[in-house]
Amino acid sequence: FEIISSGGWVMIMLAILGLLLYSNALDLLLFLFRGNLNPRSAKHWEKWVQHPEESVGQAGDIIKYTQAGPQNPKSIQRRFDEIRFNMLTRIDRRLIFVNTLVATAPLAGLLGTVIGMLGTFDGIATGGRGDTMSKVAGGIQEALLTTQTGLMIALPGVFFALIITRKKVGLEAAIARIESLTLTLKT
């Protein structure tokens, strides 16, 4: 609490921003790491496409959905397009939110820097009084603390966003592979 109070009200904003950033990033990562749309499960996909009733997990849901109804290539491709649109659009929206929060954290830190420097200049301007040095030191502390906090929130967030993007590309590849297997084996 002492650190937060020495950084001023901007620290509260940074704490909320960090909480939003990491809760959304972790939730998105958990969604992408769960399930069986990964290379380890790929060995089962061909068997599941041939026998959809045996399929399980996310891959199984996709296989069962895409094989329901007409089995012509156009219908199957439309169902896969629908799955891609639903899954990937949701991930993209949340990734944009995470990236926006990552970009906002250093800006909020910069706002704290400006506020801290204004406090420093106020301390210098009112020089001659006994509390001049404490005002100057407090302003500098606030400026540096908020900048540091903004960067400490943003830097790991960048890596989370990169991991999410990588997993999303893997998910796209898995859906494309299942689509290819389905079209090859069922038409």
Side-chain angles (χ1 to χ4, degrees):
F1 290 114
E2 186 178 323
I3 292 173
I4 290 175
S5 65
S6 64
W9 63 268
V10 174
M11 291 295 283
I12 296 168
M13 181 173 61
L14 283 166
I16 293 169
L17 196 123
L19 183 67
L20 283 171
L21 169 64
Y22 293 120
S23 64
N24 276 285
L26 289 173
D27 186 51
L28 198 47
L29 279 172
L30 285 174
F31 171 75
L32 289 168
F33 276 101
R34 265 187 311 214
N36 56 354
L37 287 172
N38 54 51
R40 290 180 308 221
S41 300
K43 61 185 176 216
H44 302 292
W45 296 345
E46 187 173 337
K47 183 178 95 176
W48 291 346
V49 167
Q50 292 173 341
H51 306 285
E53 64 281 352
E54 296 176 13
S55 61
V56 295
Q58 285 178 317
D61 292 342
I62 291 171
I63 291 167
K64 289 173 188 168
Y65 176 73
T66 55
Q67 291 190 23
Q71 293 291 305
N72 62 53
K74 280 273 193 227
S75 296
I76 292 172
Q77 285 176 331
R78 269 190 300 238
R79 287 188 214 111
F80 273 104
D81 289 342
E82 182 183 336
I83 288 168
R84 256 191 293 282
F85 179 77
N86 287 333
M87 286 183 85
L88 301 177
T89 302
R90 186 173 19 153
I91 293 168
D92 283 338
R93 276 195 315 264
R94 295 192 59 201
L95 185 58
I96 288 169
F97 184 62
V98 166
N99 283 327
T100 302
L101 293 173
V102 165
T104 304
L107 294 175
L110 183 61
L111 174 63
T113 302
V114 171
I115 292 169
M117 293 310 293
L118 288 174
T120 301
F121 294 141
D122 182 52
I124 294 171
T126 59
R129 295 190 203 142
D131 63 340
T132 301
M133 286 309 291
S134 65
K135 273 189 161 184
V136 169
I140 292 172
Q141 180 182 12
E142 182 177 348
L144 294 176
L145 188 61
T146 55
T147 303
Q148 176 188 14
T149 304
L151 291 172
M152 286 177 63
I153 290 170
L155 288 175
V158 169
F159 293 110
F160 275 127
L162 290 172
I163 292 168
I164 291 167
T165 301
R166 184 170 169 250
K167 289 299 288 181
K168 180 188 155 251
V169 168
L171 180 70
E172 288 176 84
I175 293 171
R177 173 90 193 282
I178 294 171
E179 179 180 18
S180 175
L181 284 170
T182 304
L183 289 170
T184 302
L185 297 172
K186 288 296 182 172
T187 56

